[in-house]
Amino acid sequence: MEAPSMDTVYQAISALYDNPNANEKEKASLWLGDVQKSIHSWKIADQLLQEKKDEKSYYFAAQTMRSKVQHNLAELPSEALVSLRDSLVAHLENAAGTSNPILTQLSLALADLALQMQSWQNCVSDLIKLFSTKNEFALLEILTVLPQEIDSSNLKLGENRREEIKGELRANSNLVCLFLKESITNSQNSQISLKIVKCMTSWVQVRAINIQDVSQNAVIGFCLQVMRDHNSINLLHDAASDCICALLHCLEEFYNNEDIEKLLFDSIASLEESYHMAVAHEEEEKAVNYAKVFTELAETFLEKIVFCTSSGRVHFAMRSLELALVCVGHHDYEVAEITFNLWYRLSEEVYQRDQQPLTDAFKPHIERLIEALARHCQFEPDNTKLPDEGDEFYEFRMKVMELIKDVVFMVGSSAVFRQMFTALQSDSSWEHTEAALFVMQAVAKNILPDEHEYVPKVVEAILSMPEDSHVAVRRTCILLLGELCEWVERHPECLQACLHMLVRALQHRNLAPAAAQALQSICKACRTQASAHVATLVAAARTADAAPQPLAGPAGATLLRALAAALGALPPPQLAAAMRDAADAQLQPLRALLSTTGDIKKGTRTDPVLWLDRLAALFRDVDVPHSAVGDSHPCMPAVNDSWPVLHDVMKKWVCEARVMERACRCIRFAIRAAGPAGAELLPALARALPDLYHQRPHGCVLYLCGVLCDALNGAPGAPELLIQLLHALLPPALALLQRPKGLQDNPDTVDDLFRLCIRYLQHIPVGFLSSEAAPSVLQCAALAAHLDHRDANSSVMKFLYDLMRCANETDNRPEKQQIKGLADAALTMYGEQLTCALMEAAALHLHAYMLGEVGEVLLELLGWARAHNADWLRTAVARLPRDRPAAPTDHQCWQFHQYALRAEKCKEMTRLLRDFARLYR
C-alpha cells in the first residue's frame, strides 16, 4: 500500500475507538491492521509518538512500534537500528505521566530491540545510565520486561543469543540490585514499590540473581516484610508473594546450601501467624497468597523431605506440609485447591519408592487431607439444585475425586470407606451425608469385591433410600452404586434390586445421566447376569424415549451402551432379535426425520445426531464371543437394517458435518461389531462413500475408509474393493490439501487421510505402495511434516514411521521382501526430500513436545540412508536458514550432524533435535 496521510491515520484511529457504527469500526480495524503490516508503519508510529495528539493515537503508535520491533525488525537495514534505539529512548525519557499500557508497549519495544540488536553490548548498564536520573518509572518497566522477553516465542532469538543475554544479565545483577535497593529505600510511593518488586521477580525468574546474596537482598527483605503485614496493599502483597514463589522455584532447581535454605524456610514459615490474621480479618486474597507461598515452600523441599524420611530422618522442612494442611483447612475451597499439586507430587514420590515405613510416615497428613476435602465438598445446606457441569464447585469436586484416587493408597481405600461410613452414622444432615458418600465414590473401585462388613450395609441403605431424599444425595448414591459394580458382580443376589432402582431413577430428569452411567458400569461388569434382565433394560430405553423430553444425548447413548453390554451375553438367536429390536427403536425416528423438511434443532427429537449417537452406542458395546458366531453373525440383521437408513441420512445431510461424522461413527461401530461378516456391506459402501465425499469432503469419510481396511481386509475380494475405494477418495482429498494454505486450513483432513494411509500400509501394503497415489501421498507427507497441529502431525509421522519400518524390514520371506522393495523405491525417490522436510519441521516449525515422533522417523530414515551410502542429513542441515541472528554456528551444525548419525535410540535423537531446535528459536 502507498503511505497514507497522517490525517487519514488519525481519522481511522478515531473511527476505531469512537465511531458507534460497528461496520465503520470493523473497516477502520482492518485498514489499520494493513497499515501496521506495511513498511510505512515505522515512520507513522514514530510521528504519532512525537505528536502525542491524544491517548488513543498514542497507544496505537506504541503498540504498533512494539509489534514491528517484535515481528518485523528485519525490514530495517542494520544501520537504522541505532537511530531506532535512540528514538525509542527519547520517547521513553519523555513519557513521564504516560498511562501504564502505553509505557509497557514502549518498554517492550525497546527491550525487544535490545534483545535482537547484537551490536548493543552491555545494554543493561546503558539503560540504567540513560534513565536512572530522567525517568525511574520507565527504567523499572524496561528492566522488568527485558528478562521476561528473553524466552518469548515471538522473537526467535535462538539459544546462543539467549545465553549471551542471560550472561549479560547475570554480569549486571549487582548493578541492578543496587539500583533497586536505592529505589526501595527512597520510595514512598506504593506504585514505585510495586514496580520494584515485579522487576526483582523478573530477574529471579530468569535466574539472573545470585541466591548466595539473598540474605543481603533489600527487595527480598522488603517482600517478606510486606508478607508479614496482613494489612499491606493487596496488589503489593500479590507481587511480594509472586517474588517469594519465584525465589523458591529457583532454589529448588539450582541450589544446595543448607544455611540459605534454612534462612528462607524460617523466614517463610514465620508467616503462619500473618496467615491466621488474614483469615481472621477475612482477607481472602491474602490468604490465597500465603497458600501459594506455603505450597511452593513444601514443593521446593519435597524431594529432600521424602529422601530424609525414607532414610529414617526428619528434614527441617517437614513442617511445610503442616503449613499446607493449614491452608487446606481454610473455609474457602479455592484456597485448598492451591495445594493440590503438592499432594500429587508427594504421592508420586512415595509411590515410586514403594517403602511401607515411608508410606506410614505420611499417612497422618493424607488422612487429614481427605478429612478436610470431605468438608470442602459439602453443598450449602439451603442448596436445592445440582451444580451444572462446568460450574466452579462441580469442577472442584471432580478435582478432589481425582486427588483422592491418587493419594488414597497411602491410607488404604478400605480405611477411607470405613471412616466415611462412620461419618454417615454420626451426622444426619444431608450435606454431610452426601459429602461422605462422594468420598466413598472416589475409593469404591478399590474396595475388594468380597468385602462383607461395610459395603453390604451401604448398598442396602442406597437401595432402600426414600425417593424424597435430597436430589444431590440420591445422585451421589447412584454414582457410588455404579462404582461398586465389581462388588455387585460378586453378589448377584442384589443385581435385580440395583437395576430396578436405577431404572426408576431414569424417570427423574436430574438423576437420569447418573443412573445411565451406573447402569452401564454394572451391566458391563455383570454381562452374563445382566443378560437375564434385557427385557427390563429395553423397556427402560423405550420408556425414556417416550417421555415428553427424551434423555439428553450423552445419557441416552450411555443407556444404550448399558443395554448393549447385557445383550452380548444372549444366545445368538435371541441376540439377533434383541439387536434388531433395539436398533429399530433408533431407526424409526431417523426414518421419520428423513421425510420431514424442517431445520435441525440441536439436542431435540428433530436432531438426527441424537438417534445416531444411540445407534452407535448400541453397536459399540455389544461384545459377541467368537464361540457364539456361527454361519451368520447375530449382529448382521441389525447392521443390514441400519445401512439403508444411514445412507439416506448421509445423502440428506451431506453438508452437515455433525451429522456426517455421527453417521460414519455408526457405520464404523457396526462394522466392528459384525467383524469379517460386515464385508457383505463393502460393495455398497465402496459405491456410496466416494459419491458422498465428492459432494462434500468430510474427513470422517476418510477415517471410515481406514476402519473398513482395518476390519475387512481379510475377507474374500475385500482388498480389491478397498484399493478401488482408496483410488476414488485420494484425488479429491489431496486436491483439497494442495490449495493455498490447504494443509493449515484442513488439519482434520490431514489427520484422517494419513490414518487411512497407515491402515492401508499395514494391511494392504503391496496394493498401496504400488498404486499411482503413493507418490502423491509421500509428497503431501513431506509438506505436512511442518504442520504444527498435534493430531495431524502425529498421523503423518506414524505413517512415515511405518513406511521406514517396511524399508528396513529384515524378514526374508518373499512377501516381506516385495513390500521392502516397493518401500526402498519410494525412499530412493523421496528420501532426501523427506529428510529435509523433517529437519526443517523440527528446527523451525514444530513445538518441542512434538519432536519425539519426528525423532523416531528420522532415526529409521537415517538408518536406511546409511545402509545405502547416502548422507541426506548433511544436505538437510545445510539447507536450513543461516542468514539470521538466531542461527547455530558451523561447529554446532557439524556437531549435531555427527551425533545424529551415531544415534541409536529414539530418546537420544529426540534430545538432539530439541537442543538443535533451540538454536533457531
Side-chain angles (χ1 to χ4, degrees):
M1 65 183 300
E2 294 184 2
S5 68
M6 292 304 296
D7 286 342
T8 307
V9 173
Y10 278 118
Q11 288 171 10
I13 294 171
S14 176
L16 177 65
Y17 289 105
D18 301 327
N19 197 317
N21 188 309
N23 289 332
E24 293 300 317
K25 279 181 178 289
E26 180 68 18
K27 286 180 184 178
S29 177
L30 292 172
W31 187 82
L32 288 170
D34 290 338
V35 169
Q36 287 184 316
K37 293 173 187 174
S38 74
I39 190 71
H40 308 297
S41 58
W42 292 103
K43 184 177 179 181
I44 291 169
D46 188 61
Q47 193 167 340
L48 290 171
L49 289 171
Q50 289 179 25
E51 293 177 3
K52 289 189 189 178
K53 188 173 181 180
D54 54 56
E55 189 83 0
K56 293 160 187 171
S57 62
Y58 197 17
Y59 177 78
F60 173 79
Q63 191 269 337
T64 299
M65 189 63 78
R66 190 272 305 162
S67 178
K68 295 298 286 186
V69 171
Q70 192 174 77
H71 299 288
N72 307 112
L73 195 61
E75 290 179 352
L76 300 180
S78 56
E79 58 270 18
L81 299 185
V82 173
S83 60
L84 174 61
R85 177 192 64 187
D86 295 343
S87 175
L88 286 170
V89 167
H91 291 312
L92 278 161
E93 284 177 345
N94 298 320
T98 301
S99 68
N100 281 337
I102 294 174
L103 181 65
T104 298
Q105 293 296 313
L106 289 173
S107 300
L108 282 167
L110 184 57
D112 288 347
L113 177 62
L115 294 174
Q116 296 176 85
M117 191 174 169
Q118 289 182 288
S119 61
W120 189 2
Q121 298 292 316
N122 212 12
C123 63
V124 174
S125 61
D126 285 353
L127 289 167
I128 292 175
K129 289 173 188 173
L130 285 166
F131 287 99
S132 56
T133 58
K134 296 181 180 178
N135 192 336
E136 181 187 19
F137 202 71
L139 176 58
L140 285 169
E141 185 68 19
I142 296 165
L143 291 177
T144 300
V145 299
L146 182 67
Q148 293 173 351
E149 288 294 286
I150 290 175
D151 292 308
S152 169
S153 60
N154 292 318
L155 290 182
K156 301 282 190 283
L157 291 175
E159 189 71 5
N160 294 335
R161 178 59 178 162
R162 275 195 295 274
E163 285 305 312
E164 184 182 334
I165 288 288
K166 288 177 182 178
E168 185 176 328
L169 295 189
R170 287 190 288 270
N172 285 279
S173 62
N174 289 336
L175 180 62
V176 171
C177 286
L178 181 62
F179 163 68
L180 295 178
K181 179 181 178 181
E182 292 174 356
S183 299
I184 204 74
T185 302
N186 300 328
S187 173
Q188 302 298 319
N189 185 322
S190 61
Q191 280 293 99
I192 295 287
S193 299
L194 182 63
K195 284 284 183 187
I196 292 167
V197 171
K198 288 186 174 182
C199 182
M200 176 57 70
T201 303
S202 289
W203 282 69
V204 170
Q205 287 172 332
V206 83
R207 312 297 184 252
I209 301 298
N210 187 352
I211 297 184
Q212 186 71 41
D213 302 330
V214 72
S215 57
Q216 289 85 40
N217 191 300
V219 181
I220 300 296
F222 175 74
C223 290
L224 289 166
Q225 179 184 330
V226 169
M227 294 291 291
R228 279 192 288 271
D229 181 9
H230 70 90
N231 290 317
S232 56
I233 298 169
N234 280 354
L235 285 176
L236 193 55
H237 199 274
D238 293 345
S241 68
D242 288 342
C243 188
I244 299 300
C245 286
L247 186 66
L248 287 169
H249 197 65
C250 187
L251 187 73
E252 179 184 5
E253 285 185 3
F254 294 111
Y255 211 68
N256 201 21
N257 183 309
E258 193 165 304
D259 292 336
I260 296 293
E261 289 177 348
K262 280 188 174 180
L263 173 66
L264 274 173
F265 178 82
D266 291 340
S267 300
I268 295 169
S270 68
L271 298 174
E272 183 179 5
E273 184 180 347
S274 301
Y275 165 79
H276 288 300
M277 291 297 292
V279 174
H281 288 82
E282 298 183 357
E283 295 274 5
E284 305 300 335
E285 291 183 15
K286 292 190 175 75
V288 166
N289 292 335
Y290 290 117
K292 288 178 181 176
V293 171
F294 292 153
T295 302
E296 192 66 53
L297 181 69
E299 290 198 61
T300 296
F301 291 102
L302 185 61
E303 289 185 18
K304 294 179 180 179
I305 292 170
V306 173
F307 177 77
C308 283
T309 306
S310 67
S311 306
R313 296 176 288 122
V314 178
H315 193 274
F316 65 81
M318 188 74 161
R319 187 183 159 221
S320 61
L321 297 179
E322 298 290 332
L323 293 172
L325 282 171
V326 167
C327 297
V328 175
H330 191 276
H331 64 84
D332 188 342
Y333 67 82
E334 291 182 1
V335 177
E337 189 178 341
I338 290 167
T339 70
F340 280 14
N341 192 60
L342 167 64
W343 308 116
Y344 275 120
R345 283 190 58 190
L346 175 62
S347 70
E348 185 178 354
E349 293 284 344
V350 173
Y351 183 79
Q352 285 179 347
R353 284 173 172 79
D354 192 21
Q355 301 170 7
Q356 192 58 45
L358 181 64
T359 303
D360 292 341
F362 294 105
K363 184 175 179 179
H365 298 89
I366 302 304
E367 286 175 340
R368 287 171 57 191
L369 172 67
I370 292 176
E371 186 179 346
L373 292 176
R375 287 197 303 273
H376 280 300
C377 285
Q378 292 175 15
F379 288 97
E380 292 295 331
D382 58 350
N383 185 65
T384 58
K385 299 188 301 182
L386 293 171
D388 294 327
E389 196 166 330
D391 176 87
E392 287 184 5
F393 186 54
Y394 175 90
E395 293 299 324
F396 170 74
R397 281 169 51 108
M398 292 302 100
K399 290 175 185 176
V400 166
M401 180 170 286
E402 292 305 312
L403 178 59
I404 291 175
K405 288 178 179 179
D406 201 72
V407 304
V408 73
F409 75 93
M410 286 194 266
V411 294
S413 297
S414 297
V416 173
F417 203 87
R418 184 166 57 249
Q419 179 187 358
M420 293 300 116
F421 184 80
T422 305
L424 284 177
Q425 296 178 312
S426 62
D427 200 313
S428 58
S429 65
W430 76 264
E431 66 273 14
H432 284 78
T433 298
E434 192 279 335
L437 290 165
F438 181 78
V439 175
M440 284 180 165
Q441 180 192 340
V443 303
K445 269 274 170 38
N446 297 331
I447 300 297
L448 294 174
D450 56 0
E451 204 280 340
H452 62 277
E453 187 175 357
Y454 296 101
V455 177
K457 295 175 183 176
V458 171
V459 171
E460 183 182 353
I462 291 174
L463 295 177
S464 60
M465 182 175 50
E467 293 202 0
D468 61 353
S469 300
H470 194 285
V471 64
V473 177
R474 292 181 66 192
R475 181 179 182 277
T476 303
C477 281
I478 287 168
L479 292 171
L480 172 57
L481 194 61
E483 291 294 297
L484 290 169
C485 58
E486 292 180 10
W487 187 91
V488 173
E489 192 264 341
R490 193 70 65 87
H491 299 79
E493 66 276 5
C494 69
L495 176 61
Q496 183 170 352
C498 290
L499 293 178
H500 280 286
M501 180 258 196
L502 295 173
V503 166
R504 286 199 308 274
L506 288 172
Q507 308 306 312
H508 193 299
R509 182 179 178 185
N510 290 325
L511 299 178
Q517 185 177 330
L519 277 169
Q520 183 192 355
S521 297
I522 291 174
C523 289
K524 193 172 180 180
C526 316
R527 287 179 187 270
T528 303
Q529 302 96 315
S531 64
H533 303 278
V534 163
T536 302
L537 294 170
V538 170
R542 288 191 178 276
T543 303
D545 286 341
Q549 284 191 326
L551 284 178
T558 304
L559 179 58
L560 266 293
R561 293 184 71 180
L563 172 59
L567 287 176
L570 290 173
Q574 291 177 252
L575 173 57
M579 277 294 291
R580 291 192 76 177
D581 187 32
D584 191 61
Q586 318 312 317
L587 295 172
Q588 283 182 12
L590 284 172
R591 292 189 188 100
L593 288 176
L594 286 168
S595 61
T596 63
T597 56
D599 293 333
I600 293 175
K601 292 184 180 178
K602 194 173 177 180
T604 68
R605 291 180 184 277
T606 66
D607 186 357
V609 165
L610 181 74
W611 313 106
L612 291 171
D613 280 346
R614 296 184 184 192
L615 187 60
L618 180 68
F619 285 120
R620 178 181 182 177
D621 267 43
V622 64
D623 186 11
V624 184
H626 290 296
S627 58
V629 179
D631 295 334
S632 61
H633 196 286
C635 288
M636 274 311 295
V639 173
N640 286 324
D641 290 346
S642 301
W643 163 243
V645 179
L646 292 174
H647 188 199
D648 288 342
V649 165
M650 295 167 87
K651 286 190 292 184
K652 178 171 182 175
W653 287 290
V654 69
C655 295
E656 294 285 343
R658 283 175 65 247
V659 178
M660 286 294 292
E661 182 183 339
R662 293 326 209 287
C664 286
R665 282 181 80 241
C666 280
I667 298 169
R668 186 172 101 221
F669 288 129
I671 294 295
R672 292 284 193 199
E680 66 181 80
L681 269 189
L682 189 54
L685 287 165
R687 289 191 299 272
L689 294 180
D691 289 341
L692 293 165
Y693 192 75
H694 278 79
Q695 290 182 62
R696 187 62 67 94
H698 295 291
C700 56
V701 175
L702 300 176
Y703 187 84
L704 175 58
C705 179
V707 172
L708 296 176
C709 179
D710 192 37
L712 306 178
N713 68 87
E720 293 78 9
L721 282 171
L722 289 167
I723 290 294
Q724 290 176 23
L725 183 56
L726 178 72
H727 286 164
L729 291 176
L730 275 183
L734 291 170
L736 175 67
L737 300 179
Q738 286 164 1
R739 295 176 185 173
K741 299 187 71 176
L743 292 165
Q744 292 85 350
D745 293 343
N746 301 282
D748 291 339
T749 296
V750 176
D751 184 20
D752 293 324
L753 172 64
F754 282 96
R755 284 174 182 256
L756 164 70
C757 293
I758 290 168
R759 298 276 173 71
Y760 273 78
L761 190 57
Q762 290 171 345
H763 299 297
I764 318 176
V766 173
F768 175 75
L769 290 173
S770 59
S771 71
E772 296 176 358
S776 298
V777 171
L778 285 171
Q779 290 172 336
C780 183
L783 294 172
H786 74 271
L787 192 62
D788 64 347
H789 183 281
R790 184 171 194 163
D791 292 337
N793 194 273
S794 178
S795 294
V796 173
M797 293 305 153
K798 285 175 182 172
F799 165 72
L800 289 174
Y801 179 76
D802 283 355
L803 177 66
M804 306 307 160
R805 295 292 288 179
C806 291
N808 288 322
E809 181 62 69
T810 57
D811 191 327
N812 289 322
R813 285 178 294 174
E815 63 272 20
K816 293 291 185 181
Q817 286 303 302
Q818 183 185 9
I819 297 167
K820 175 177 169 53
L822 291 167
D824 284 346
L827 289 189
T828 301
M829 184 169 293
Y830 297 105
E832 185 172 4
Q833 181 184 350
L834 287 170
T835 308
C836 292
L838 290 168
M839 281 306 305
E840 182 181 333
L844 305 178
H845 300 292
L846 302 182
H847 298 290
Y849 69 82
M850 300 168 73
L851 297 185
E853 290 177 316
V854 179
E856 282 186 325
V857 176
L858 200 57
L859 196 65
E860 291 289 331
L861 182 54
L862 294 182
W864 187 91
R866 278 198 303 271
H868 291 76
N869 298 314
D871 188 359
W872 294 330
L873 184 62
R874 184 190 303 276
T875 305
V877 173
R879 286 185 183 177
L880 292 171
R882 302 288 297 281
D883 57 343
R884 57 170 73 181
T889 63
D890 289 339
H891 178 71
Q892 287 169 327
C893 288
W894 175 85
Q895 195 173 42
F896 167 77
H897 174 259
Q898 294 300 308
Y899 285 144
L901 286 179
R902 294 199 294 267
E904 296 180 354
K905 295 183 178 179
C906 178
K907 284 186 178 180
E908 186 181 358
M909 180 64 80
T910 302
R911 179 182 57 77
L912 288 170
L913 286 174
R914 285 176 180 162
D915 290 346
F916 190 64
R918 278 197 288 269
L919 297 172
Y920 281 92
R921 302 179 184 188

